[in-house]
Amino acid sequence: MKQSGHDAIARQADEHLVTHRVKLPKKVVEHPFQQVAKRLSIALLLLAATALIVYADHDGYNDNSDGSVDFLDALYYATVTLSTTGYGDITPVSDGARLTNILVVTPLRVFFLIVLVGTTLEVLTERTREEWRLNRWRSTLRDHTVVVGFGTKGRSAIQTVCATGLKKEQVVVVDPSAKAIEAASSDGYVGVVGDATRSEVLKRAEVHRARQIIIATQRDDTAVLVTLTARQLNRGAKIVAAVREEENAPLLKQSGADAVITSASAAGRLLGLSVLSPAAGMVMEDLIQQGSGLDMTERPVIKAEVGRTPRETDDLVVSVVRGHRVLGYDDPAIGTLQLTDRLITIVRVSPGSQVAPDIRPLPE
C-alpha cells in the first residue's frame, strides 16, 4: 500500500514536470541510430588503424609473455591503449615505437575517447544550448500571440494571423497534448505542454506580455476557465475565444473575452448560405481565407480620405469603426470619414497568389 502511494506521488511529479515544459522549434538533426552508428564506425576505424600502426613496427614492442608481438597482440595492445586500460604486458621498447606512441597513438587515444563520450557531451551541450535559447526567447518575447488549442480551429486561426504578416516566432501554442505541441514545434511555433486553465502554464507562455490571445479549446467550459485565467494575468490583451454552443457566448464575454465566435453556428450559417446561393457561399469562404482571392482587412483612414464618404474611397468599404461602434457603410451616422476612424474593407490580394472565386467552377 505504501509502495503504491509512492508510485502515485511519482506519477504526479512526472505529470507536473510535463505540464511545465516549453518546447522551442527544433532544428533538423540526424536520427539517433545514425549518430550512434557513425560514432561506432569511427571508433572501430581508429582501433583498426592503431592496430595496424603497432603491427607495422611490431619489432619495436615487447610482450612479457613470449617476447614477440603478432597481429593479435597488436590488436590487443590497441584495445587496452585506446581504452586507457594499459596493463603494461606489451610495451614499446624502441625509440621509433615510443615516438610513434607519442605522436600518433596518443592523439588517436584522445580522439577515441572523444568519440566514445561524444553522446554524453552532445546531450550536455544540447541541454545547455536549449536552456540558453529558452532564456533568450523569454527575454526577447513581447507583444506576441498565444493560441490555446492546436486542433482544427487553432491551426486555422494561426494560419490566418500569419497570412497577415505575423512571424512564426511571435506565436506560442499551448495544448495539453504532447503530440499536438510536437506538431506545432515541427511547424516552427513555440509550444507549451500543459493545461491552460492553470496560471503557471500560461505564465510559461508569457501570457502577461502577449498582445492577443486566441482560445480554441475543444470544450466550452474549458474555454471559460482559460479566459478567466488569461484575463487575470493580462488586463490589456485582446482575447478572442471560440465556443460550440451559442448559449455559452455571453458567459465567455463576462469572463473577459473581447470577441466570441460560435463555431457551430458560423458553420451552419455558411452551409445555409451555400445552399441558397453557391456563389455567395463561395465568396464568403474566400473572404475568411486570408492570402488568396479577396481578403477582408481593417485599416486606418488616411489623410486624403478625411471628409469623404465611404463610397468615395478607392477601396470597397464594408463598415466604419468609430470609437467602440461598428457602423455599416451606408449608416447616416457616419457622415464623412474622420482621421480617427478605421475602415473594414474588401481588397484583392496580389495577382501572383490570388485564387479568386470567379475562376473556380460553381457547383451544379
Side-chain angles (χ1 to χ4, degrees):
M1 189 71 177
K2 184 180 294 185
Q3 181 64 30
S4 62
H6 288 309
D7 294 341
I9 294 174
R11 285 195 300 269
Q12 291 178 359
D14 292 340
E15 293 175 357
H16 185 72
L17 291 175
V18 171
T19 300
H20 294 79
R21 193 173 72 227
V22 178
K23 191 174 185 62
L24 297 177
K26 282 187 176 180
K27 298 180 179 178
V28 178
V29 295
E30 289 183 332
H31 193 277
F33 290 121
Q34 294 179 346
Q35 298 181 21
V36 172
K38 182 183 292 186
R39 291 195 176 98
L40 183 59
S41 301
I42 295 175
L44 293 176
L45 183 62
L46 291 175
L47 182 62
T50 305
L52 291 174
I53 292 173
V54 173
Y55 183 70
D57 190 23
H58 62 278
D59 292 337
Y61 292 83
N62 180 54
D63 187 353
N64 294 335
S65 61
D66 56 9
S68 63
V69 176
D70 56 15
F71 183 75
L72 180 61
D73 294 332
L75 185 60
Y76 165 76
Y77 176 79
T79 303
V80 298
T81 299
L82 293 184
S83 62
T84 68
T85 304
Y87 293 112
D89 48 352
I90 299 178
T91 58
V93 293
S94 67
D95 293 340
R98 291 176 178 178
L99 187 61
T100 301
N101 269 261
I102 295 173
L103 299 179
V104 180
V105 177
T106 299
L108 287 176
R109 181 190 303 120
V110 174
F111 191 29
F112 184 83
L113 293 176
I114 291 176
V115 170
L116 287 182
V117 301
T119 302
T120 303
L121 292 176
E122 184 175 353
V123 169
L124 294 175
T125 304
E126 182 64 26
R127 288 181 179 177
T128 304
R129 187 187 300 115
E130 191 71 13
E131 189 67 24
W132 179 83
R133 289 181 64 202
L134 184 59
N135 291 334
R136 183 175 179 272
W137 171 74
R138 292 188 185 282
S139 63
T140 58
L141 192 65
R142 297 289 188 280
D143 296 332
H144 58 289
T145 298
V146 176
V147 180
V148 180
F150 199 64
T152 303
K153 292 180 291 186
R155 292 173 187 263
S156 300
I158 292 175
Q159 291 174 0
T160 300
V161 296
C162 287
T164 60
L166 185 68
K167 296 180 179 180
K168 289 186 176 182
E169 295 80 5
Q170 288 295 106
V171 177
V172 181
V173 178
V174 181
D175 197 286
S177 171
K179 291 183 178 180
I181 295 302
E182 187 71 29
S185 177
S186 299
D187 291 341
Y189 309 112
V190 176
V192 177
V193 181
D195 184 2
T197 60
R198 303 178 60 178
S199 58
E200 58 265 29
V201 175
L202 292 181
K203 287 179 181 178
R204 289 273 177 172
E206 303 293 324
V207 164
H208 53 286
R209 297 177 179 176
R211 174 180 296 178
Q212 48 200 12
I213 304 169
I214 300 174
I215 300 174
T217 57
Q218 299 296 326
R219 295 170 54 93
D220 290 359
D221 54 351
T222 304
V224 172
L225 291 175
V226 174
T227 303
L228 283 169
T229 307
R231 181 55 72 196
Q232 183 181 17
L233 294 175
N234 193 328
R235 298 291 182 180
K238 182 178 182 180
I239 299 180
V240 180
V243 292
R244 293 179 177 270
E245 302 296 334
E246 196 166 0
E247 61 183 10
N248 294 325
L251 183 59
L252 264 170
K253 289 186 177 180
Q254 293 176 6
S255 301
D258 297 292
V260 179
I261 306 299
T262 307
S263 56
S265 298
R269 284 190 285 268
L270 185 57
L271 285 173
L273 180 62
S274 299
V275 169
L276 296 174
S277 173
M282 188 180 295
V283 172
M284 285 299 301
E285 183 182 359
D286 184 65
L287 284 175
I288 62 178
Q289 184 179 354
Q290 291 288 324
S292 64
L294 301 174
D295 283 353
M296 184 173 290
T297 61
E298 180 180 340
R299 66 169 179 84
V301 172
I302 61 177
K303 291 184 179 180
E305 296 171 336
V306 175
R308 297 182 181 180
T309 64
R311 295 179 182 271
E312 295 174 341
T313 61
D314 294 334
D315 295 335
L316 179 59
V317 178
V318 178
S319 300
V320 177
V321 181
R322 179 168 293 171
H324 296 286
R325 297 184 301 165
V326 180
L327 306 173
Y329 70 95
D330 57 348
D331 195 320
I334 296 178
T336 58
L337 297 176
Q338 302 174 9
L339 192 60
T340 56
D341 292 339
R342 298 186 65 84
L343 302 179
I344 298 177
T345 64
I346 295 178
V347 298
R348 182 175 293 279
V349 297
S350 57
S353 60
Q354 71 179 24
V355 182
D358 54 7
I359 66 175
R360 291 183 291 175
L362 288 174
E364 297 182 358

